[in-house]
């Protein structure tokens, strides 16, 4: 199967948030979509292994912060490759509370939803929520999943519904696209660096690890 075609589908990049008691929790999601206009309802898909999944089930609410193309990549590294159960992901980001939920202010805007239904799959819960609050923050272009892969050079977390193992990435690319490429991949987050070699003192712009955690893809 041509797994890279999965990344040809159109997605956005979002931070889905909720609460654990009074503590803000959240994770990266690319599957968020409007289902109806009246009433306005939205669906998000969250992996069972994401701690945010449990928090949404407890609170019955979730918020979607729409990331912009100029988003600091470390936001994706923090919310996409670390667990809210053990890490305070909100320590280094700007956010405010709306309808009791945290929303990122360094974003295009947010949607806060009240869960009205859900569907369980083998790996994910699809939450359906009625819109109860929203606001626009910035006029910047929202980040698409395609932009994240092409420009930011990031990979999907293992919990993402569109995850492709690093060793499979590019295997089904046409030969002319592979020619002349020298690629290094981060073992932690899957960030791809292309160039002659990794610069001295290089750190992954997504998760922050050093060059020793990168391996060249032959």
């Amino acid at each position: 199967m041509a797994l890279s075609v999965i990344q040809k589908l159109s997605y956005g990049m979002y931070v889905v948030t909720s609460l654990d008691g009074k503590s803000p929790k959240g994770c990266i999601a690319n599957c968020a979509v409007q289902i109806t206009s009246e009433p306005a309802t939205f669906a998000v898909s969250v992996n069972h292994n994401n701690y945010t999944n449990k928090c949404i089930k407890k609170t019955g609410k979730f918020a979607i912060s729409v990331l912009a193309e100029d988003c600091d990549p470390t936001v994706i590294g923090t919310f996409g490759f670390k667990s809210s159960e053990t890490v305070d992901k909100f320590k280094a980001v700007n956010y405010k509370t709306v309808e009791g939920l945290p929303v990122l202010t360094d974003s295009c805007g947010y949607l806060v939803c009240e869960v009205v239904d859900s569907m369980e799959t083998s790996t994910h819960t699809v939450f359906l929520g009625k819109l109860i609050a929203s606001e626009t923050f910035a006029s910047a272009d929202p980040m698409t999943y395609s932009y994240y892969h092409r420009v930011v050079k990031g990979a999907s977390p293992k919990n993402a519904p569109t995850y492709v193992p690093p060793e499979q990435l590019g295997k089904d690319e046409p030969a002319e696209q592979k020619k002349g490429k020298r690629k290094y991949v981060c073992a932690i987050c899957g960030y791809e660096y292309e160039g002659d070699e990794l610069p001295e003192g290089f750190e992954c712009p997504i998760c922050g690890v050093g060059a020793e955690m990168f391996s060249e893809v032959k």
Side-chain angles (χ1 to χ4, degrees), residues 58 122 173:
K58 287 181 181 178
S122 59
E173 285 183 353

Side-chain angles (χ1 to χ4, degrees), residues 10-13 67 69 141-150:
S10 179
Y11 301 93
M13 287 291 287
L67 297 182
E69 286 184 349
D141 290 332
M143 184 184 295
T144 65
Y145 199 54
S146 174
Y147 183 94
Y148 172 63
H149 284 287
R150 289 185 298 101

